[in-house]
Amino acid sequence: MGIAVEITGPAKAAFRSPPGVHDFRLDLTGAVLTYADAATELLVIQHWHPGSGVMVTRRS
């Protein structure tokens, strides 16, 4: 969750990216990682928000 802004103009030169590559600045307001835990057979949802840290939810 957040905003991605493409870097263009003189600021792009600082990245030294190959031609045709697009560089972005990310302003994240949250992130989510979801996976299946094979050992417990649970769905694990990890979510992060600034100021809240990482919270973990497990679902059957």
Side-chain angles (χ1 to χ4, degrees), residues 1 7 12 18 28-29 37 42 60:
M1 296 168 270
I7 298 170
K12 183 165 175 61
L28 296 179
T29 58
D37 184 339
L42 295 175
S60 57

Side-chain angles (χ1 to χ4, degrees), residues 5-18 21-25:
V5 178
E6 186 171 9
I7 298 170
T8 59
K12 183 165 175 61
F15 288 88
R16 298 188 210 142
S17 300
V21 171
H22 298 268
D23 297 305
F24 294 87
R25 178 184 56 81

Side-chain angles (χ1 to χ4, degrees), residues 1 29-33 45-57:
M1 296 168 270
T29 58
V32 177
L33 171 64
I45 306 160
Q46 297 178 332
H47 41 103
W48 167 86
H49 296 278
S52 300
V54 176
M55 299 191 322
V56 179
T57 304

